[in-house]
């Protein structure tokens, strides 16, 4: 494919309208194309009906809808989770997860191929960084899941930017993708139903506040001291907790919103009473909520998930500091649904632990 070909998924509605104006077409024609992309969810420019012949010719010559191929897919035994390994034209692969809850479907999507953050317990962090995804490649994952759900008459209601990559390391593309996903004339996913998860980049968190980004913010914490956090999350060596907490307080003050903090519980490492008291003191007085997640084991990390008694004891301690918490339900353990695990299995020829594997194109 010619690298100069425009991927229409890369444009927000305002950007698409401006580009059409440069081509000599009015906003009316841009709106029709936008509706076709996100309401009708066509899969190619030539599938857009009733365009002016000169616009149809321009799109055929200069535009595409860049979509991934299915490299592999796994279905969990309980039927609630499907994990897809998606391959782009350059051969890079990313993971997208479809999760079914009682009243909704959620798509967990990636923002990068690989990740530069290097969190030691994360399969994506273990494989390193390959490249950023474009805004259109981020959005295309939601459309991919929508097509997978179409036969059931369902569509994605919630989106979590918790797949491969650090969203705030790919800031511009991530913000454009959020603009596209939330556009009320397109997919119209409510901002409150989108969660952006970050390892905690203080400058970018402040920028999120200043840009009035409307989605939910989740910050991966995992430890309550600089030394212990740096052992799990290498970027903490560059961005200490004091700077991160200041940025989160700034975000709360500017946005008037709660911040969700994520704590992956690792047996004997960060699930101790000492760590619980430390995080309670760290978050006390903040408009914060702690999501605790027992570790999803990976082949590259020897740690084990905390057991239920340790989880409950951890929660009881932080509750004493006025911090609400939720044990986040882990999905797809039998199909390596943790971030980066399916891609790692493909790269290193490791079979998935369980589940049903289907190879794609």
């Amino acid at each position: 494919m010619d690298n100069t070909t425009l991927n229409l998924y890369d444009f927000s509605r305002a950007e698409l309208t401006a580009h059409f104006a440069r081509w000599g077409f009015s906003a009316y024609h841009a709106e029709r194309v936008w509706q076709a992309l996100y309401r009708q969810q066509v899969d190619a420019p030539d599938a857009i009906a009733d365009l002016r012949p000169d616009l149809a010719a321009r799109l055929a010559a200069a535009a595409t809808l860049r979509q991934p191929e299915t490299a592999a897919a796994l279905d969990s035994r309980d039927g609630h989770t499907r994990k897809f390994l998606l391959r782009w034209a350059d051969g890079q692969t990313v993971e997208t997860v479809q999760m079914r809850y009682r009243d909704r479907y959620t798509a967990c999507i990636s923002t990068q191929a690989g990740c530069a953050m290097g969190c030691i317990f994360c399969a994506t962090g273990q494989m390193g960084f390959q490249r950023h995804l474009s805004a259109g490649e981020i959005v295309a994952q939601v459309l991919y899941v929508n097509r997978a759900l179409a036969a059931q008459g369902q569509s994605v209601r919630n989106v979590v930017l918790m797949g491969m990559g650090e969203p705030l390391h790919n800031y511009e593309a991530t913000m454009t993708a959020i603009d596209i996903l939330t556009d009320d004339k397109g997919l119209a996913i409510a901002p409150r139903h989108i969660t952006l998860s970050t390892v905690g980049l203080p400058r970018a968190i402040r920028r999120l506040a200043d840009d009035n980004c409307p989605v939910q913010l989740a910050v991966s914490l995992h430890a309550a001291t600089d030394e212990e956090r740096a052992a799990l999350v290498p970027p903490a060596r560059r961005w200490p907790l004091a700077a991160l907490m200041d940025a989160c307080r700034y975000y709360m003050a500017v946005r008037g919103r709660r911040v969700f903090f994520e704590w992956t519980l690792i047996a004997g490492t960060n699930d101790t009473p000492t760590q619980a008291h430390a995080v309670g003191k760290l978050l006390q007085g903040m408009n914060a909520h702690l999501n605790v997640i027992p570790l999803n084991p990976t082949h590259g990390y020897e740690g084990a998930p905390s057991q239920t008694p340790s989880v409950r004891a951890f929660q009881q301690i932080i509750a004493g500091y006025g911090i609400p918490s939720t044990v986040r339900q882990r999905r797809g353990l039998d199909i390596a649904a943790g971030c980066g695990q399916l891609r790692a299995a493909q790269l290193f020829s490791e079979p998935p632990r369980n589940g049903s594997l289907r190879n794609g194109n």
Side-chain angles (χ1 to χ4, degrees), residues 246-286:
D246 281 349
C248 290
R249 291 187 185 92
Y250 179 81
Y251 178 92
M252 293 172 187
V254 172
R255 296 282 298 122
R257 299 281 288 275
R258 172 177 291 181
V259 171
F260 294 86
F261 291 91
E262 297 171 322
W263 192 282
T264 296
L265 279 171
I266 306 167
T269 298
N270 65 354
D271 65 348
T272 64
T274 298
Q275 282 284 316
H277 284 293
V279 71
K281 293 174 183 175
L282 184 70
L283 300 181
Q284 192 171 29
M286 297 177 68

Side-chain angles (χ1 to χ4, degrees), residues 71-243:
L74 284 168
D75 296 305
S76 65
R77 287 191 298 262
D78 63 12
H80 294 314
T81 306
R82 303 185 72 193
K83 184 163 191 175
F84 304 101
L85 185 67
L86 305 181
R87 182 187 296 116
W88 302 100
D90 65 354
Q92 289 293 343
T93 53
V94 300
E95 296 178 350
T96 301
V97 182
Q98 168 193 313
M99 295 172 286
R100 178 168 65 87
Y101 296 88
R102 184 175 62 180
D103 60 347
R104 69 187 187 278
Y105 281 90
T106 296
C108 178
I109 62 177
S110 299
T111 55
Q112 296 174 315
C115 184
M117 298 298 107
C119 299
I120 65 169
F121 53 83
C122 172
T124 305
Q126 293 159 16
M127 71 181 62
F129 174 73
Q130 279 74 53
R131 70 170 175 85
H132 296 302
L133 299 186
S134 72
E137 289 172 328
I138 298 169
V139 171
Q141 295 170 71
V142 177
L143 295 172
Y144 179 98
V145 175
N146 271 349
R147 293 184 179 107
L149 291 171
Q152 305 169 47
Q154 299 289 341
S155 62
V156 171
R157 179 183 168 192
N158 291 57
V159 173
V160 290
L161 298 159
M162 294 182 181
M164 295 173 64
E166 164 55 58
L168 298 185
H169 184 210
N170 189 16
Y171 190 94
E172 299 295 346
T174 297
M175 293 303 106
T176 300
I178 288 171
D179 191 1
I180 295 167
L181 293 173
T182 59
D183 191 289
D184 61 2
K185 293 187 177 180
L187 291 173
I189 297 174
R192 69 181 181 278
H193 291 161
I194 298 177
T195 300
L196 184 156
S197 177
T198 174
V199 75
L201 310 184
R203 184 178 298 177
I205 290 172
R206 289 175 176 272
R207 186 179 176 188
L208 272 182
D210 292 337
D211 288 347
N212 203 31
C213 181
V215 303
Q216 305 280 357
L217 176 64
V219 176
S220 296
L221 200 54
H222 309 311
T225 68
D226 285 323
E227 181 179 1
E228 289 161 324
R229 189 164 186 263
L232 296 172
V233 184
R237 300 187 186 102
R238 181 177 177 185
W239 298 294
L241 275 170

